[in-house]
Each structure stands twice: as structure tokens, then as C-alpha cells.
């Protein structure tokens, strides 16, 4: 009996099986970090569209292309790239705040991962609350059957994010409608002129499209549009 006990004492310890409680306790969390990172990368396009100014920018760019009458110029890739770079420019203060409050302390081991997530949510939340309309916030608060909080910062992200997207869509449509008016005026003038002189076989869009592009280039439209979009934030 003593020989058997001595044999077990000298035997090497076996590693815990994957999935066992001991394995979960001794795990350093690296696989879960990888899973979380891959999930975050998968959701990154949705986060860009729902928590940044990219929604407003893309809506305005779409209205501009429709107003000019050009179907594929600029291409979707060009507009997406311009919108992404302008979004990066506009979100730079928010990203800096997230890095200062959450990423850097977590990298130095001062806070845990969950606390870093909680700290990192605050700057985007404040940014979205700045541009979300109270009407849209009240809509989702009522739909969620929640009591109205004392401060807007107490609202959860599941209410702030869709309310912010609705507000951005409205702002994008308002800017697009204003942007559409001068080009619509050019279309109406060209259509009335071609109709009055009896040019029924020539579609007005064939004449108005070059005129609209020339007008947009002469007033340096891209600079004016980018400046107006940046000043709207």
C-alpha cells in the first residue's frame, strides 16, 4: 500500500482536460480574447455604420450623385473611401478619449477587460447623445417600456444607437434635399427651354447633366460640400 502511494506521489501531474472546471480556472483567457477580437472584427462594419457619422455622409453622397445625374461617377468605392476617411477625421477626438480612458490603462494592466469596455463606451455614448434628437430617444425609450431617466447619459446603448441612426438619417436627408434644389432648378430650366424650341427628340437630361457637372466644378462643389458636412458636426 505504501509503495502504491509513493508511486502516485512521484507520478507527473496530468494536464486538465479541455472544458473541465479546472481547465477553465487555470486558463489565462487568451482563447476568449481571440474569440472576442474575431467577433469584434465581424461587427466592425455595423459599428461603423451605426455609431459614427458615416450614415449621414453616405446619404449625402448618394443624393449628390443622383442630383448630378451621374450613375456610377464617383463609384461606390470612392464614396465609401471618402466617407471612411472623413469619419476617421471626425471621430479622432472620440478615439483619443477611448484610448486614454480605456485602452491605455488596460494595456498597462491597471484595469480589467470588463472595466475597460465600460470605460470605452462612455466617449461614443456622449458623441451620439450630442447629435441624437430627444424625439428619437423618447421613441425607443417608450418602445422599451423604460422609465424616463433623470439624465440622458443613463440611457443604455440599445436605445441610444438606433435613436442616433434615425437622427443621422434625418440630417442626411435634410442636407440632401437642400443639395438637390439647385440641380433640380437646372433640370427644370433646360427642360422648359428644350420643350419651347421644339427639341422633343433630345432628352433634357442629355443637356442638363453636362451643365450640372460644369456648375458643380465651377463653384468647387466638393470643397463646399466637405466643409458643410464637417461644420454640421
Amino acid at each position: 500500500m505504501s509503495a502504491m502511494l509513493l508511486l502516485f506521489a512521484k507520478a507527473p501531474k496530468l494536464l486538465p482536460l479541455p472544458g473541465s472546471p479546472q481547465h477553465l480556472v487555470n486558463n489565462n483567457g487568451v482563447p476568449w480574447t481571440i474569440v472576442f477580437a474575431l467577433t469584434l472584427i465581424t461587427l466592425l462594419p455595423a459599428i461603423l455604420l451605426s455609431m459614427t457619422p458615416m450614415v449621414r455622409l453616405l446619404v449625402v453622397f448618394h443624393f449628390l450623385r443622383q442630383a448630378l445625374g451621374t450613375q456610377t461617377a464617383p463609384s461606390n468605392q470612392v464614396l465609401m473611401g471618402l466617407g471612411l476617411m472623413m469619419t476617421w477625421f471626425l471621430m479622432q477626438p472620440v478615439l483619443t478619449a477611448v484610448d486614454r480612458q480605456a485602452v491605455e490603462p488596460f494595456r498597462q494592466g491597471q484595469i480589467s477587460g470588463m472595466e475597460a469596455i465600460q470605460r470605452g463606451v462612455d466617449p461614443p455614448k456622449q458623441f451620439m447623445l450630442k447629435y441624437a434628437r430627444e424625439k428619437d430617444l423618447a421613441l425607443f425609450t417608450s418602445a422599451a417600456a423604460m422609465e424616463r431617466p433623470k439624465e440622458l447619459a443613463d440611457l443604455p446603448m440599445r436605445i441610444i444607437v438606433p435613436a442616433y441612426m434615425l437622427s443621422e438619417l434625418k440630417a442626411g436627408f435634410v442636407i440632401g434635399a437642400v443639395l438637390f434644389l439647385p440641380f433640380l432648378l437646372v433640370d427644370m430650366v433646360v427642360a422648359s427651354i428644350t420643350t419651347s424650341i421644339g427639341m422633343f427628340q433630345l432628352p433634357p437630361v442629355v443637356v442638363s447633366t453636362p451643365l450640372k457637372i460644369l456648375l458643380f466644378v465651377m463653384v468647387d462643389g466638393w470643397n463646399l460640400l466637405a466643409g458643410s458636412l464637417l461644420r454640421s458636426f
Side-chain angles (χ1 to χ4, degrees), residues 129-217:
L129 285 174
K130 184 178 179 181
Y131 299 102
R133 300 186 305 167
E134 293 187 5
K135 184 178 180 180
D136 297 327
L137 292 171
L139 171 65
F140 287 98
T141 303
S142 175
M146 291 181 56
E147 296 182 358
R148 186 172 182 176
K150 297 181 180 180
E151 297 182 359
L152 294 178
D154 297 333
L155 290 172
M157 293 293 287
R158 66 188 180 96
I159 292 179
I160 297 176
V161 172
Y164 170 76
M165 291 189 68
L166 284 185
S167 302
E168 288 296 287
L169 285 173
K170 177 179 173 56
F173 271 78
V174 169
I175 298 174
V178 175
L179 184 66
F180 222 104
L181 291 178
F183 299 106
L184 180 61
L185 181 61
V186 173
D187 286 332
M188 294 176 62
V189 171
V190 171
S192 62
I193 293 175
T194 54
T195 304
S196 62
I197 62 179
M199 298 176 61
F200 297 104
Q201 296 181 354
L202 182 64
V205 68
V206 177
V207 181
S208 63
T209 299
L211 292 177
K212 290 187 292 186
I213 295 175
L214 180 61
L215 175 64
F216 188 73
V217 172

Coordinates of all heavy atoms in Angstrom, one line a residue, residues 129-217:
L129 N -25.1 61.0 -28.1 CA -26.2 61.8 -27.4 C -26.1 63.2 -27.8 O -27.2 63.9 -27.8 CB -26.0 61.7 -25.9 CG -26.4 60.4 -25.2 CD1 -26.0 60.4 -23.8 CD2 -27.9 60.1 -25.4
K130 N -25.0 63.7 -28.3 CA -24.9 65.1 -28.7 C -25.7 65.3 -30.0 O -26.2 66.5 -30.2 CB -23.4 65.4 -29.0 CG -23.1 66.9 -29.3 CD -21.7 67.1 -29.5 CE -21.4 68.6 -29.8 NZ -19.9 68.9 -30.0
Y131 N -25.8 64.3 -30.8 CA -26.5 64.5 -32.1 C -27.8 63.8 -32.2 O -28.5 63.9 -33.2 CB -25.6 64.1 -33.3 CG -24.3 64.9 -33.3 CD1 -23.1 64.4 -32.8 CD2 -24.3 66.2 -33.8 CE1 -21.9 65.1 -32.9 CE2 -23.1 66.9 -33.9 CZ -22.0 66.4 -33.4 OH -20.8 67.1 -33.4
A132 N -28.1 62.9 -31.2 CA -29.4 62.2 -31.3 C -30.5 63.2 -30.8 O -30.4 63.9 -29.8 CB -29.4 61.0 -30.4
R133 N -31.6 63.2 -31.5 CA -32.8 64.0 -31.1 C -33.5 63.4 -29.9 O -33.6 62.2 -29.8 CB -33.7 64.2 -32.3 CG -33.1 64.8 -33.5 CD -34.2 65.1 -34.6 NE -34.9 63.8 -34.9 CZ -36.1 63.8 -35.6 NH1 -36.6 65.0 -36.0 NH2 -36.7 62.7 -35.8
E134 N -34.0 64.3 -29.1 CA -34.8 63.8 -27.9 C -36.1 63.1 -28.4 O -36.5 62.1 -27.7 CB -35.2 65.0 -27.0 CG -34.0 65.6 -26.3 CD -34.4 66.7 -25.3 OE1 -35.7 66.8 -25.1 OE2 -33.6 67.3 -24.8
K135 N -36.6 63.4 -29.5 CA -37.8 62.8 -30.0 C -37.5 61.3 -30.3 O -38.3 60.4 -30.0 CB -38.3 63.5 -31.3 CG -39.6 62.9 -31.8 CD -40.0 63.8 -33.0 CE -41.3 63.2 -33.6 NZ -41.7 64.0 -34.8
D136 N -36.4 61.0 -31.0 CA -36.0 59.7 -31.3 C -35.6 58.9 -30.0 O -36.0 57.7 -29.9 CB -34.8 59.7 -32.3 CG -35.2 60.3 -33.6 OD1 -36.3 60.2 -34.0 OD2 -34.3 61.0 -34.2
L137 N -34.9 59.5 -29.1 CA -34.6 58.9 -27.8 C -35.9 58.5 -27.1 O -36.0 57.4 -26.5 CB -33.7 59.8 -27.0 CG -32.3 60.0 -27.5 CD1 -31.6 61.1 -26.6 CD2 -31.5 58.7 -27.5
A138 N -36.9 59.4 -27.1 CA -38.1 59.1 -26.4 C -38.9 58.0 -27.1 O -39.6 57.2 -26.4 CB -39.0 60.4 -26.4
L139 N -38.8 57.9 -28.4 CA -39.5 56.8 -29.1 C -39.0 55.5 -28.7 O -39.8 54.6 -28.3 CB -39.2 57.0 -30.6 CG -39.7 55.9 -31.5 CD1 -41.2 55.7 -31.5 CD2 -39.2 56.1 -33.0
F140 N -37.7 55.3 -28.6 CA -37.2 53.9 -28.3 C -37.3 53.7 -26.8 O -37.4 52.6 -26.3 CB -35.7 53.8 -28.7 CG -35.6 53.6 -30.2 CD1 -35.3 54.7 -31.0 CD2 -35.8 52.4 -30.8 CE1 -35.2 54.6 -32.4 CE2 -35.7 52.2 -32.2 CZ -35.4 53.3 -33.0
T141 N -37.2 54.8 -26.0 CA -37.4 54.6 -24.5 C -38.8 54.1 -24.2 O -39.1 53.2 -23.4 CB -37.2 55.9 -23.8 OG1 -35.8 56.4 -24.1 CG2 -37.3 55.8 -22.3
S142 N -39.8 54.7 -25.0 CA -41.2 54.3 -24.8 C -41.4 52.9 -25.3 O -42.1 52.1 -24.7 CB -42.1 55.3 -25.5 OG -43.5 54.8 -25.5
A143 N -40.8 52.5 -26.4 CA -40.9 51.2 -27.0 C -40.3 50.1 -26.1 O -40.8 49.0 -26.1 CB -40.3 51.1 -28.4
A144 N -39.3 50.5 -25.4 CA -38.6 49.5 -24.4 C -39.3 49.5 -23.1 O -38.9 48.7 -22.2 CB -37.2 49.9 -24.2
A145 N -40.4 50.3 -22.9 CA -41.2 50.3 -21.7 C -40.3 50.7 -20.5 O -40.3 50.1 -19.4 CB -41.9 49.0 -21.4
M146 N -39.4 51.7 -20.7 CA -38.5 52.1 -19.6 C -39.0 53.5 -19.1 O -39.6 54.2 -19.8 CB -37.1 52.3 -20.2 CG -36.4 51.0 -20.5 SD -34.7 51.3 -21.1 CE -34.0 52.3 -19.8
E147 N -38.7 53.7 -17.8 CA -39.0 55.0 -17.3 C -37.9 56.0 -17.8 O -36.8 55.7 -18.0 CB -38.9 54.9 -15.7 CG -40.0 54.0 -15.1 CD -39.9 54.0 -13.6 OE1 -39.0 54.7 -13.1 OE2 -40.7 53.3 -13.0
R148 N -38.4 57.2 -17.9 CA -37.5 58.3 -18.4 C -36.4 58.6 -17.3 O -36.7 58.9 -16.2 CB -38.3 59.5 -18.7 CG -37.5 60.6 -19.3 CD -38.4 61.8 -19.8 NE -37.6 62.8 -20.4 CZ -38.1 63.9 -21.0 NH1 -39.4 64.1 -20.9 NH2 -37.3 64.8 -21.6
P149 N -35.2 58.4 -17.7 CA -34.1 58.7 -16.7 C -33.9 60.1 -16.4 O -34.4 61.0 -17.2 CB -32.9 58.1 -17.4 CG -33.1 58.2 -18.9 CD -34.6 58.1 -19.0
K150 N -33.3 60.4 -15.3 CA -33.0 61.8 -14.9 C -32.0 62.5 -15.9 O -32.1 63.7 -16.2 CB -32.5 61.8 -13.5 CG -33.5 61.3 -12.4 CD -32.9 61.4 -11.1 CE -33.9 60.9 -10.0 NZ -33.3 61.0 -8.6
E151 N -31.1 61.7 -16.4 CA -30.1 62.2 -17.3 C -30.0 61.3 -18.5 O -30.3 60.1 -18.5 CB -28.7 62.3 -16.7 CG -28.6 63.3 -15.5 CD -27.2 63.3 -14.9 OE1 -26.3 62.6 -15.5 OE2 -27.0 64.1 -14.0
L152 N -29.7 61.9 -19.7 CA -29.7 61.2 -20.9 C -28.5 60.1 -20.9 O -28.6 59.1 -21.6 CB -29.5 62.1 -22.1 CG -30.7 63.0 -22.4 CD1 -30.4 63.9 -23.6 CD2 -32.0 62.2 -22.7
A153 N -27.5 60.5 -20.1 CA -26.3 59.5 -20.1 C -26.7 58.2 -19.4 O -25.9 57.2 -19.5 CB -25.2 60.2 -19.3
D154 N -27.8 58.2 -18.7 CA -28.2 56.9 -18.0 C -28.9 56.0 -19.0 O -29.2 54.8 -18.6 CB -29.1 57.2 -16.9 CG -28.5 58.1 -15.8 OD1 -27.2 57.9 -15.7 OD2 -29.2 58.8 -15.1
L155 N -29.2 56.4 -20.2 CA -29.8 55.5 -21.2 C -28.9 54.4 -21.7 O -27.7 54.7 -21.8 CB -30.3 56.3 -22.4 CG -31.5 57.3 -22.2 CD1 -31.7 58.1 -23.4 CD2 -32.8 56.5 -21.8
P156 N -29.4 53.2 -21.9 CA -28.5 52.2 -22.4 C -28.2 52.3 -23.9 O -28.9 53.1 -24.6 CB -29.3 50.9 -22.1 CG -30.7 51.3 -22.1 CD -30.7 52.7 -21.6
M157 N -27.2 51.6 -24.3 CA -26.7 51.8 -25.7 C -27.8 51.2 -26.7 O -27.9 51.7 -27.8 CB -25.4 51.0 -25.9 CG -24.2 51.7 -25.2 SD -23.8 53.3 -25.9 CE -23.1 52.8 -27.4
R158 N -28.6 50.3 -26.3 CA -29.6 49.7 -27.2 C -30.7 50.7 -27.5 O -31.5 50.5 -28.5 CB -30.3 48.5 -26.5 CG -31.1 48.7 -25.3 CD -31.5 47.4 -24.6 NE -32.2 47.6 -23.4 CZ -33.6 47.6 -23.3 NH1 -34.3 47.4 -24.5 NH2 -34.2 47.8 -22.2
I159 N -30.8 51.8 -26.8 CA -31.7 52.9 -27.1 C -31.0 54.0 -27.8 O -31.5 54.6 -28.7 CB -32.4 53.4 -25.8 CG1 -33.3 52.3 -25.3 CG2 -33.2 54.7 -26.0 CD1 -34.0 52.7 -24.0
I160 N -29.8 54.3 -27.4 CA -29.0 55.4 -27.9 C -28.7 55.2 -29.4 O -28.8 56.1 -30.3 CB -27.8 55.8 -27.1 CG1 -28.2 56.2 -25.7 CG2 -27.0 56.8 -27.7 CD1 -27.1 56.4 -24.7
V161 N -28.2 54.0 -29.7 CA -27.7 53.7 -31.0 C -28.8 53.8 -32.1 O -28.6 54.5 -33.1 CB -27.0 52.3 -31.1 CG1 -26.6 51.9 -32.5 CG2 -25.8 52.3 -30.2
P162 N -29.9 53.1 -32.0 CA -31.0 53.3 -33.0 C -31.5 54.7 -33.1 O -31.8 55.2 -34.2 CB -32.1 52.3 -32.7 CG -31.8 52.0 -31.2 CD -30.4 52.2 -31.0
A163 N -31.6 55.4 -31.9 CA -32.1 56.8 -32.0 C -31.1 57.7 -32.7 O -31.4 58.6 -33.5 CB -32.3 57.3 -30.5
Y164 N -29.8 57.4 -32.5 CA -28.7 58.2 -33.2 C -28.8 58.0 -34.7 O -28.7 58.9 -35.5 CB -27.4 57.8 -32.6 CG -26.2 58.4 -33.4 CD1 -25.8 59.7 -33.3 CD2 -25.5 57.5 -34.3 CE1 -24.8 60.2 -34.1 CE2 -24.4 58.0 -35.0 CZ -24.1 59.4 -34.9 OH -23.0 59.8 -35.6
M165 N -29.0 56.7 -35.1 CA -29.1 56.4 -36.5 C -30.3 57.1 -37.2 O -30.2 57.6 -38.3 CB -29.2 54.9 -36.7 CG -28.0 54.1 -36.4 SD -28.0 52.4 -36.9 CE -28.0 52.6 -38.7
L166 N -31.4 57.1 -36.5 CA -32.6 57.8 -37.0 C -32.3 59.3 -37.2 O -32.7 60.0 -38.2 CB -33.8 57.6 -36.1 CG -34.5 56.3 -36.2 CD1 -35.8 56.3 -35.4 CD2 -34.9 55.9 -37.7
S167 N -31.7 59.9 -36.2 CA -31.3 61.3 -36.3 C -30.3 61.6 -37.4 O -30.5 62.6 -38.1 CB -30.7 61.8 -34.9 OG -31.6 61.5 -33.9
E168 N -29.4 60.7 -37.6 CA -28.4 60.9 -38.7 C -29.1 60.8 -40.0 O -28.8 61.5 -41.0 CB -27.3 59.9 -38.5 CG -26.3 60.3 -37.4 CD -25.6 61.6 -37.6 OE1 -24.7 61.6 -38.4 OE2 -26.0 62.5 -36.9
L169 N -30.0 59.8 -40.2 CA -30.7 59.7 -41.4 C -31.6 60.9 -41.7 O -31.6 61.4 -42.9 CB -31.6 58.5 -41.4 CG -31.0 57.1 -41.5 CD1 -32.0 56.0 -41.2 CD2 -30.3 56.9 -42.8
K170 N -32.2 61.5 -40.7 CA -33.0 62.7 -41.0 C -32.1 63.9 -41.4 O -32.4 64.6 -42.3 CB -33.8 63.1 -39.7 CG -34.5 64.4 -39.9 CD -35.3 64.7 -38.6 CE -35.9 66.1 -38.7 NZ -36.8 66.3 -39.9
A171 N -30.9 64.0 -40.7 CA -30.0 65.1 -41.0 C -29.4 64.9 -42.4 O -29.3 65.8 -43.2 CB -28.8 65.1 -40.0
G172 N -29.1 63.6 -42.8 CA -28.6 63.4 -44.2 C -29.7 63.7 -45.2 O -29.3 64.3 -46.3
F173 N -30.9 63.4 -45.0 CA -32.0 63.7 -46.0 C -32.2 65.2 -46.0 O -32.5 65.7 -47.1 CB -33.3 62.9 -45.6 CG -33.4 61.5 -46.2 CD1 -32.6 60.5 -45.6 CD2 -34.1 61.3 -47.3 CE1 -32.7 59.2 -46.2 CE2 -34.2 60.0 -47.8 CZ -33.5 59.0 -47.3
V174 N -32.1 65.9 -44.9 CA -32.3 67.3 -45.0 C -31.2 68.0 -45.8 O -31.5 68.8 -46.7 CB -32.3 67.9 -43.6 CG1 -32.3 69.4 -43.6 CG2 -33.6 67.5 -42.8
I175 N -30.0 67.6 -45.6 CA -28.9 68.1 -46.4 C -29.0 67.7 -47.8 O -28.7 68.5 -48.7 CB -27.5 67.7 -45.8 CG1 -27.3 68.2 -44.3 CG2 -26.4 68.1 -46.6 CD1 -26.1 67.6 -43.7
G176 N -29.4 66.5 -48.1 CA -29.6 66.0 -49.5 C -30.7 66.8 -50.2 O -30.5 67.1 -51.4
A177 N -31.7 67.1 -49.5 CA -32.8 67.8 -50.1 C -32.4 69.2 -50.5 O -32.7 69.7 -51.6 CB -34.0 67.9 -49.2
V178 N -31.7 69.9 -49.6 CA -31.2 71.2 -49.9 C -30.2 71.2 -51.0 O -30.1 72.1 -51.9 CB -30.5 71.9 -48.6 CG1 -29.9 73.2 -49.0 CG2 -31.6 72.0 -47.5
L179 N -29.4 70.1 -51.1 CA -28.4 70.0 -52.1 C -29.0 69.7 -53.5 O -28.5 70.1 -54.5 CB -27.4 68.8 -51.8 CG -26.2 68.5 -52.7 CD1 -25.3 69.7 -52.7 CD2 -25.5 67.3 -52.2
F180 N -30.2 69.1 -53.5 CA -30.9 68.7 -54.7 C -31.5 69.9 -55.4 O -31.7 69.9 -56.6 CB -31.9 67.7 -54.4 CG -32.0 66.6 -55.4 CD1 -31.5 65.3 -55.1 CD2 -32.6 66.8 -56.6 CE1 -31.6 64.3 -56.0 CE2 -32.7 65.7 -57.5 CZ -32.2 64.5 -57.2
L181 N -31.8 71.0 -54.6 CA -32.6 72.1 -55.2 C -32.0 72.8 -56.4 O -32.6 73.0 -57.4 CB -33.0 73.1 -54.1 CG -34.0 72.5 -53.1 CD1 -34.2 73.6 -52.0 CD2 -35.3 72.1 -53.7
P182 N -30.7 73.2 -56.3 CA -30.1 73.9 -57.4 C -30.0 73.1 -58.7 O -30.2 73.6 -59.8 CB -28.7 74.4 -56.9 CG -28.4 73.5 -55.8 CD -29.8 73.2 -55.1
F183 N -29.7 71.8 -58.5 CA -29.6 70.9 -59.7 C -31.0 70.6 -60.3 O -31.2 70.5 -61.5 CB -29.0 69.6 -59.3 CG -27.6 69.8 -58.8 CD1 -27.3 69.6 -57.5 CD2 -26.5 70.1 -59.7 CE1 -26.0 69.8 -57.0 CE2 -25.2 70.2 -59.2 CZ -24.9 70.1 -57.9
L184 N -32.0 70.6 -59.4 CA -33.4 70.5 -59.9 C -33.8 71.7 -60.7 O -34.5 71.6 -61.7 CB -34.3 70.2 -58.7 CG -35.8 70.1 -59.0 CD1 -36.1 68.8 -59.9 CD2 -36.6 69.9 -57.8
L185 N -33.4 72.9 -60.2 CA -33.7 74.1 -61.0 C -33.0 74.1 -62.4 O -33.7 74.5 -63.4 CB -33.2 75.3 -60.2 CG -33.4 76.7 -60.8 CD1 -34.9 76.9 -60.9 CD2 -32.8 77.7 -59.9
V186 N -31.8 73.6 -62.5 CA -31.2 73.5 -63.8 C -31.9 72.5 -64.7 O -32.1 72.8 -65.9 CB -29.7 73.0 -63.6 CG1 -29.1 72.7 -64.9 CG2 -28.9 74.0 -62.8
D187 N -32.4 71.4 -64.1 CA -33.2 70.4 -64.9 C -34.5 71.1 -65.4 O -34.8 70.9 -66.6 CB -33.5 69.2 -64.1 CG -32.3 68.3 -63.9 OD1 -31.4 68.3 -64.7 OD2 -32.3 67.6 -62.8
M188 N -35.1 71.8 -64.6 CA -36.4 72.5 -65.0 C -36.2 73.5 -66.1 O -36.9 73.6 -67.0 CB -37.1 73.1 -63.8 CG -37.5 72.1 -62.7 SD -38.2 72.9 -61.3 CE -39.6 73.7 -62.0
V189 N -35.1 74.3 -65.9 CA -34.8 75.3 -66.9 C -34.4 74.7 -68.3 O -34.9 75.1 -69.3 CB -33.7 76.3 -66.4 CG1 -33.2 77.2 -67.5 CG2 -34.1 77.1 -65.2
V190 N -33.6 73.7 -68.3 CA -33.2 73.0 -69.5 C -34.4 72.4 -70.1 O -34.6 72.4 -71.4 CB -32.1 72.0 -69.2 CG1 -31.8 71.1 -70.5 CG2 -30.8 72.7 -68.8
A191 N -35.3 71.7 -69.3 CA -36.5 71.1 -69.9 C -37.4 72.1 -70.5 O -38.0 71.8 -71.6 CB -37.2 70.2 -68.8
S192 N -37.6 73.2 -69.9 CA -38.5 74.2 -70.4 C -37.9 74.8 -71.7 O -38.7 75.1 -72.7 CB -38.8 75.3 -69.4 OG -37.5 76.0 -69.1
I193 N -36.6 75.0 -71.8 CA -36.0 75.6 -73.0 C -36.1 74.6 -74.2 O -36.5 75.0 -75.3 CB -34.6 76.0 -72.7 CG1 -34.5 77.2 -71.7 CG2 -33.8 76.4 -74.0 CD1 -33.1 77.6 -71.3
T194 N -35.7 73.3 -73.9 CA -35.8 72.4 -75.0 C -37.2 72.1 -75.5 O -37.4 71.9 -76.7 CB -35.1 71.0 -74.5 OG1 -35.8 70.6 -73.3 CG2 -33.7 71.2 -74.2
T195 N -38.2 72.2 -74.6 CA -39.6 72.0 -75.0 C -40.1 73.2 -75.8 O -40.8 73.0 -76.7 CB -40.4 71.8 -73.7 OG1 -39.9 70.6 -73.0 CG2 -41.9 71.5 -74.1
S196 N -39.7 74.4 -75.4 CA -40.2 75.6 -76.0 C -39.6 75.7 -77.5 O -40.3 76.3 -78.3 CB -39.8 76.8 -75.2 OG -38.4 77.0 -75.1
I197 N -38.5 75.2 -77.7 CA -37.9 75.4 -79.1 C -38.2 74.1 -79.9 O -37.7 74.0 -81.0 CB -36.4 75.6 -79.0 CG1 -35.6 74.4 -78.3 CG2 -36.1 76.9 -78.3 CD1 -34.1 74.6 -78.3
G198 N -38.9 73.2 -79.4 CA -39.4 72.0 -80.1 C -38.4 70.9 -80.2 O -38.5 70.1 -81.1
M199 N -37.4 70.8 -79.3 CA -36.5 69.7 -79.3 C -37.0 68.5 -78.5 O -36.6 68.2 -77.4 CB -35.1 70.2 -78.7 CG -34.5 71.3 -79.5 SD -33.0 71.9 -78.7 CE -31.9 70.4 -78.7
F200 N -38.0 67.9 -79.1 CA -38.7 66.8 -78.4 C -37.9 65.5 -78.5 O -38.1 64.6 -77.7 CB -40.1 66.6 -78.9 CG -41.0 67.7 -78.7 CD1 -41.3 68.6 -79.7 CD2 -41.5 68.0 -77.4 CE1 -42.1 69.7 -79.5 CE2 -42.4 69.1 -77.2 CZ -42.6 69.9 -78.3
Q201 N -37.1 65.3 -79.5 CA -36.3 64.1 -79.7 C -35.1 64.0 -78.9 O -34.5 63.0 -78.7 CB -35.9 63.9 -81.2 CG -37.1 63.8 -82.1 CD -36.7 63.6 -83.6 OE1 -35.5 63.8 -83.9 NE2 -37.7 63.4 -84.5
L202 N -34.6 65.2 -78.3 CA -33.4 65.2 -77.5 C -33.9 65.3 -76.0 O -34.5 66.2 -75.6 CB -32.6 66.4 -77.8 CG -31.3 66.6 -77.0 CD1 -30.3 65.4 -77.3 CD2 -30.6 67.9 -77.3
P203 N -33.6 64.2 -75.2 CA -33.9 64.2 -73.8 C -33.3 65.4 -73.1 O -32.1 65.6 -73.3 CB -33.4 62.8 -73.3 CG -33.3 62.0 -74.5 CD -32.9 63.0 -75.6
P204 N -34.0 66.0 -72.2 CA -33.4 67.2 -71.5 C -32.2 66.8 -70.6 O -31.3 67.6 -70.4 CB -34.6 67.7 -70.6 CG -35.8 67.2 -71.3 CD -35.4 65.9 -71.9
V205 N -32.2 65.5 -70.1 CA -31.1 65.1 -69.3 C -29.8 65.1 -70.0 O -28.7 65.2 -69.4 CB -31.4 63.7 -68.7 CG1 -31.4 62.6 -69.8 CG2 -30.5 63.3 -67.6
V206 N -29.8 64.9 -71.3 CA -28.6 64.9 -72.1 C -27.9 66.3 -72.1 O -26.7 66.4 -72.1 CB -28.9 64.4 -73.6 CG1 -27.6 64.5 -74.4 CG2 -29.4 63.0 -73.6
V207 N -28.7 67.3 -72.0 CA -28.2 68.7 -72.0 C -27.9 69.1 -70.5 O -26.9 69.8 -70.2 CB -29.2 69.6 -72.7 CG1 -28.6 71.1 -72.6 CG2 -29.5 69.2 -74.1
S208 N -28.8 68.7 -69.6 CA -28.7 69.2 -68.2 C -27.5 68.6 -67.5 O -26.9 69.2 -66.6 CB -30.0 69.0 -67.5 OG -30.3 67.6 -67.4
T209 N -27.2 67.3 -67.8 CA -26.1 66.7 -67.0 C -24.8 67.3 -67.2 O -24.1 67.6 -66.2 CB -26.1 65.2 -67.4 OG1 -27.3 64.5 -67.1 CG2 -24.9 64.5 -66.6
P210 N -24.3 67.6 -68.4 CA -23.1 68.4 -68.5 C -23.1 69.8 -67.9 O -22.1 70.2 -67.3 CB -22.8 68.5 -70.0 CG -23.6 67.4 -70.6 CD -24.8 67.3 -69.7
L211 N -24.3 70.4 -67.9 CA -24.4 71.7 -67.3 C -24.3 71.6 -65.8 O -23.6 72.5 -65.2 CB -25.7 72.4 -67.7 CG -25.8 72.8 -69.2 CD1 -27.2 73.4 -69.5 CD2 -24.7 73.8 -69.6
K212 N -24.9 70.6 -65.2 CA -24.8 70.5 -63.8 C -23.4 70.1 -63.3 O -22.9 70.6 -62.3 CB -25.8 69.4 -63.3 CG -27.3 69.8 -63.4 CD -28.2 68.8 -62.8 CE -28.2 67.5 -63.6 NZ -29.2 66.5 -63.1
I213 N -22.7 69.3 -64.1 CA -21.3 68.9 -63.7 C -20.5 70.2 -63.8 O -19.6 70.4 -63.0 CB -20.8 67.8 -64.6 CG1 -21.6 66.5 -64.3 CG2 -19.4 67.5 -64.4 CD1 -21.3 65.3 -65.2
L214 N -20.6 70.9 -64.9 CA -19.9 72.2 -65.1 C -20.1 73.2 -63.9 O -19.2 73.8 -63.4 CB -20.2 72.8 -66.4 CG -19.4 74.1 -66.8 CD1 -17.9 73.8 -66.8 CD2 -19.9 74.6 -68.1
L215 N -21.4 73.3 -63.6 CA -21.7 74.2 -62.4 C -21.1 73.7 -61.1 O -20.6 74.5 -60.4 CB -23.2 74.3 -62.3 CG -23.8 75.1 -61.1 CD1 -23.4 76.5 -61.2 CD2 -25.3 74.9 -61.0
F216 N -21.1 72.4 -60.9 CA -20.6 71.9 -59.7 C -19.1 72.1 -59.6 O -18.5 72.3 -58.6 CB -20.9 70.4 -59.6 CG -20.5 69.7 -58.3 CD1 -21.3 70.0 -57.1 CD2 -19.5 68.8 -58.2 CE1 -20.9 69.4 -55.9 CE2 -19.1 68.2 -57.0 CZ -19.9 68.5 -55.9
V217 N -18.4 71.9 -60.8 CA -16.9 72.1 -60.8 C -16.6 73.6 -60.7 O -15.6 73.9 -60.0 CB -16.4 71.5 -62.1 CG1 -14.9 71.9 -62.3 CG2 -16.6 70.0 -62.2

